[in-house]
Structure formats: C-alpha cells, structure tokens
Amino acid sequence: MSETFTKPIPHPTPDTQPFWDGLARGEYLIQRCKECGKLRHYPRPVCDGCWSMAHEWVPASGRGTVHSWTVCHHPFHMGFKAQSPYILLTVDLAEGVRAQGQLRGLAAEALRLGLPVALGYEREGEGPVLPIFRPAEET
Amino acid sequence: MSLFERAAITGIGETAHGRGLQQGSALSLQMQASLAAIADAGLSPRDIDGVIPVATGAAVAEDFITNFGIPDLRFSATTPMGGASCVAAIQAAAAAVATGICRHVLLPIGRTGYSGTRIGARVHEMPQFRTIGEFELPLGNVAPAQIYAPMARRHMELYGTTSRQLAEIAVTTRRHAILNGNAAMTKPLSIEDHQNSRMIADPFRLFDCSLESDGGAAVVVSSAEAARDLRQPRVLVMGAAEGHPDSPSVITQRPDILRIGLAKAAPRAFAMAGVKPADIQVAEIYDCFTYVVLRQLEEIGFCQQGEGGAFVEGGALGIGGRLPVNTHGGLLSQAHLAGMNHIVELVRQLRGQGGAAQVEGATLGLVTGYGDMGDGSIAIMRRG
C-alpha cells in the first residue's frame, strides 16, 4: 500500500478473499448455499439454514433501497478526516441481504427510508475497490 | 432449578470518577474498587473464592489471587459482551454461588478510558468486531457512534422520535450526576446545550454520547445464604438473563436492526423474578448513547416499541418522575465503567443509601447492560 493511502484496509481471509476479488473487477458478490440456495452476507463458512459449507458466489444486481443512514461528522480515524462529513448508507439489496457504502451524489436532506439507490464501485489511490451508492436512475 | 433469590449483591465499591485524575493504572483502579467492595460487605479479601474480570480489561483472575493472597480461588470466568459484560456476570456469578461452586464472587472493573487508550478508538481490536472490521471499517464505519447511529435514524424515521427527546435523557442523566457528587461531569446541561452541541454521527450529537473517563468499580455477588451474616442489607437477585440479537456482530445484516438482545433476555428475567415492568421503582439502564436507553425502555416493556420518545419526555426519567433512570448519572455523565457503576447504584438505591439521589421507598429495581453491537443483559433485584 502507498504511504498516501491512510484509510483502514481490509484483511481478507481465505473465506472472504473471493468477495474482495469480486469488488476489484466490479462485482459485489453474495454467497449462496449450494445445498439449500440460501443467500448469506457478509461472507462466512457455514449456511445457518442447513449447515452446509458448500457455496458459490453470485453477483448482486446492484439495485437497492435505503434502510437507514448516518452522516459522519467526527472522523474517528484520521484517514477519513479530509472527506468528513460523509454519509454511510445501509441498503436493502434487491437480493435480500444488506450492504453498506458511502453515498455519492445526494445530500442527506434528500434521504428517506425506501429511496431507490444503485450500487457502484470506487477506488481511491492505492486502496481497495469499495462499494458506493448513488441515487437510482429514474426508470 | 432457577436462580431466583439464590444470590445477593453484598458489597459495592467505587473509586473517584473523572478525567485525567492521575489516580493510578487500570489495574490499580480495579484493585482499589475491589477492596472497597469487599470491605463494604464486611468480608476479607481472602474470602473471595470467585472472580469474573472484564474480558477486555486490565486484570485477569490471577491478579486477584496475587494481590489479595486468595488461598483457593474456585471459580473464574469471563462474559465477553462489551457493555453487557458486567450485568451478564451477575447471572454467571449467581449460577456459581447457587450451585455451591463458591460463595463470594468478585466482579471488578477499572479503566483509564480518558488518560489511556480511548475506548471508542480500539473496538476493532476485539474479536467480536472482526466482521465489521473487514467489511465496514474500510468504508468509514469506525466507532460505536457511527455503528449505532443507523438504528437511531431508522427509529426516528419510522416513529417520529426526535433529537429533543434524546436530549431529555442526556439532561436528566446530567442532573443525576450532579446529585451524585462523584461524577466526571458536574456542569448543568439544558436541552438547548444538547441541541447546540456538535454533531458526531447524525443523529448523535456530542451529548448523546457517553464519556470516556478514568476510574474503577466493583461488586461482590454472594450466595443468598452467606449474605445473611454480612454487614449490609441484603439485595437479592430475583432474576438475571443475557440475550444475543440475531446477526449479533453485524447490525447491518440484522433482520430487524432495531431489535436487540435485551428483547430476549428481559422476558426471561421478569419470568424468573415473578414481577412485571410496572413493579419496577428504579432502573439503571446502560447508556452508551441516549438512543440506547430509549430503545431498551421499549424492549423491557415500560412502553411499546416506537413510544420511547414520548415516554422519556417531561422529565419522566428523573427522581420523582414516572420511572427514575440512571440515578447516578450513568455513562453519559458519571463515568464509563461499562455499567459496573450501574450495578453499584442500583444496590445503593435498594439499600436506601442513594443520598441526594435516593428514590424514596425504592426496594425493587433493575439494571441492564448493552454492548458489542446489541448483546443485552439484565438483573432484577430487591431488598430483602
């Protein structure tokens, strides 16, 4: 990592590496149980429905709605000081699991529960590719 | 077999609370508080035969053997649930004394949360935070204020809960801290002060957040039988329970992000105690953030879900109010001792030793813990 990237970085394990590899190529991957088909997120070894450890990875559609949010004013880590305040969204993905990411392109005042948002990807400097959200295009 | 009235809190102790008092290491603070609690019970340090140190704290069971010369420690355990640990330890201690494993269990804590490493900055070092450490910390979800804020925001959006209602909790708690006399925060606080305080993680303003302070506190849990012969009025544990939310370590993935572990623990504790929320005369509610108090009041059943905002209005949580809460000043204004100070205060109230903050005639009350993303613990006690 470059010395200019000061944010915390993830430390993937063999259980979670495929998720980060997915983000790096622009895919938000969700684990699916190969036995019963149940989705689970964040990545972990065992399906809590049938206890199978066999799984595959499926890409999220990128569609979601706002479940909740916070506007982070106080930077608790120096790496986030320059961009504070920033908005952290909790999003219900269309697949039925949730994701978190910073919001781009919308002010906090415009947020409401259920607001449609679209998943995107962003990479800062030498840091990892991270999920972000933007207001969904009108359809 | 139930733990109903099989254990009693027999000793309580505290150091001075403050910020930067330079009164010693986290280890020496908990030794000081422990010696005070043991003396309060009328016991000798060598009578302690069980200890439940805080899992992430500065001391291990061996430190108490070494410092106190305990000849035969028969029971040691930890209850690693963050802010729910201390009250969860009451259940563990009660189980140990009820089954005869030991007679007197020490529950100690000491922290230099102000002078030493700040509590909020080190949560990601704990194994319970491994998942959000990997998947949310890189996004900017760093500290408990940010991690818990989406729960409060959703409560506000769903039920119309307001920041001024959260302020009621902060203001009442500050008033109690001033009555207590041994508190880190000593200046009166108004709703306007709260509303004008800087935003930390919306909707949490500075005065929605608990303190980081230096100090120690300890209690002794004894078998109900052994407690008969001790120095203080007995405070019996009528019911105790712990509960873990679904998706315990990651709020983001919780089926209902408002639901906390206390929703499972509280009904168990009330069933064991044979009382109901309306019987409770004083409640010491874990208050890492104002919203966390409001939500626990709902989950305990003092009001319906969504009605917490209205419930706390108009000074309802003050001494003389509908339900006196955090009569010592809590984590918001007295000291951040992970809720051990809440246990100390409940016992003080039920003994009638509450001083200027005494709730008149209080003989039945409860204390809760909340931590590690929403683990919950509760103990219901009575003087007896």
Side-chain angles (χ1 to χ4, degrees):
Chain A
M1 290 289 161
S2 146
E3 284 178 24
T4 56
F5 187 78
T6 57
K7 290 177 179 170
I9 56 166
H11 299 282
T13 70
D15 300 331
T16 64
Q17 187 65 50
F19 173 79
W20 294 102
D21 292 344
L23 281 182
R25 56 176 191 267
E27 285 187 323
Y28 193 96
L29 297 180
I30 305 168
Q31 272 179 314
R32 183 164 64 196
C33 175
K34 268 187 163 167
E35 284 298 323
C36 73
K38 186 175 179 179
L39 293 174
R40 63 179 187 263
H41 197 54
Y42 299 117
R44 55 180 180 267
V46 179
C47 173
D48 71 347
C50 73
W51 311 296
S52 169
M53 294 178 77
H55 64 273
E56 57 197 348
W57 299 84
V58 294
S61 67
R63 289 178 291 111
T65 56
V66 171
H67 190 81
S68 195
W69 67 90
T70 179
V71 188
C72 301
H73 290 260
H74 181 82
F76 285 92
H77 186 288
M78 64 172 187
F80 294 99
K81 194 168 181 178
Q83 67 175 153
S84 295
Y86 56 94
I87 301 170
L88 267 180
L89 281 194
T90 301
V91 171
D92 289 303
L93 293 180
E95 288 73 17
V97 301
R98 295 207 193 98
Q100 199 174 58
Q102 289 193 21
L103 175 66
R104 299 285 180 258
L106 196 68
E109 292 69 32
L111 285 170
R112 58 177 170 80
L113 302 188
L115 184 78
V117 289
L119 181 67
Y121 303 90
E122 198 176 85
R123 185 174 188 206
E124 181 186 328
E126 297 295 305
V129 175
L130 296 174
I132 50 128
F133 289 95
R134 292 195 177 86
E137 301 286 328
E138 295 294 330
T139 52
Chain B
M1 182 179 122
S2 154
L3 294 178
F4 174 74
E5 298 193 353
R6 301 293 302 273
I9 312 288
T10 52
I12 54 175
E14 283 181 292
T15 66
H17 299 303
R19 304 202 288 177
L21 295 179
Q22 304 293 327
Q23 55 183 349
S25 68
L27 179 62
S28 68
L29 286 166
Q30 56 186 304
M31 292 299 164
Q32 187 189 334
S34 297
L35 290 170
I38 294 163
D40 178 68
L43 291 166
S44 154
R46 294 195 215 290
D47 294 326
I48 297 299
D49 53 6
V51 62
I52 305 181
V54 171
T56 52
V60 293
E62 285 79 355
D63 286 315
F64 295 89
I65 299 173
T66 305
N67 282 275
F68 296 167
I70 295 172
D72 190 8
L73 192 81
R74 295 157 177 260
F75 174 73
S76 67
T78 56
T79 51
M81 297 165 62
S85 301
C86 296
V87 175
I90 295 176
Q91 176 182 245
V97 297
T99 49
I101 296 171
C102 57
R103 281 158 54 94
H104 303 293
V105 184
L106 177 67
L107 277 49
I109 188 171
R111 287 179 137 176
T112 51
Y114 183 81
S115 306
T117 309
R118 293 296 185 90
I119 298 160
R122 66 173 184 225
V123 293
H124 290 283
E125 294 164 19
M126 298 155 67
Q128 303 92 314
F129 289 70
R130 183 188 62 237
T131 304
I132 64 166
E134 177 173 353
F135 296 101
E136 299 189 352
L137 174 62
L139 310 174
N141 204 12
V142 179
Q146 300 164 329
I147 297 166
Y148 295 164
M151 301 190 295
R153 172 50 61 193
R154 190 165 169 86
H155 198 278
M156 289 171 141
E157 298 295 316
L158 287 176
Y159 305 120
T161 311
T162 67
S163 176
R164 290 184 78 87
Q165 290 170 331
L166 298 183
E168 291 262 1
I169 296 168
V171 166
T172 302
T173 310
R174 178 63 58 86
R175 199 179 309 130
H176 295 169
I178 293 166
L179 289 175
N180 181 286
N182 179 15
M185 305 306 271
T186 55
K187 265 179 60 183
L189 184 76
S190 68
I191 301 247
E192 278 60 43
D193 292 335
H194 172 282
Q195 294 291 289
N196 293 329
S197 68
R198 69 190 166 96
M199 194 64 88
I200 303 296
D202 178 89
F204 294 146
R205 294 182 175 279
L206 179 66
F207 292 126
D208 289 305
C209 305
S210 51
L211 298 167
E212 297 186 284
S213 65
D214 305 332
V219 302
V220 179
V221 180
S222 304
S223 74
E225 277 311 301
R228 284 186 193 285
D229 307 323
L230 297 183
R231 198 171 137 238
Q232 298 285 356
R234 273 200 319 180
V235 173
L236 291 162
V237 178
M238 303 173 72
E242 71 176 57
H244 301 258
D246 301 333
S247 182
S249 299
V250 184
I251 292 167
T252 305
Q253 304 298 341
R254 198 164 287 166
D256 176 352
I257 71 168
L258 299 186
R259 193 170 151 88
I260 52 180
L262 190 61
K264 301 177 186 179
R268 282 202 289 273
F270 277 102
M272 189 188 296
V275 298
K276 34 186 207 310
D279 300 324
I280 298 297
Q281 296 164 304
V282 57
E284 314 298 352
I285 305 289
Y286 197 85
D287 57 337
C288 47
F289 297 93
T290 51
Y291 162 79
V292 170
V293 175
L294 183 149
R295 185 68 193 109
Q296 287 178 95
L297 293 173
E298 295 176 347
E299 291 284 40
I300 292 167
F302 290 119
C303 60
Q304 294 294 307
Q305 179 162 334
E307 293 176 357
F311 184 85
V312 305
E313 282 185 331
L317 307 187
I319 291 151
R322 171 171 18 184
L323 177 71
V325 165
N326 295 345
T327 44
H328 56 323
L331 309 180
L332 288 169
S333 282
Q334 190 205 24
H336 200 318
L337 285 169
M340 194 70 81
N341 47 328
H342 292 53
I343 305 172
V344 167
E345 174 66 7
L346 178 63
V347 172
R348 196 181 278 139
Q349 287 282 338
L350 299 181
R351 286 176 179 177
Q353 298 170 351
Q358 180 65 46
V359 175
E360 204 174 326
T363 57
L364 176 66
L366 65 77
V367 58
T368 70
Y370 170 99
D372 278 3
M373 307 289 126
D375 290 342
S377 51
I378 179 170
I380 300 168
M381 304 185 203
R382 74 170 175 94
R383 179 172 173 160

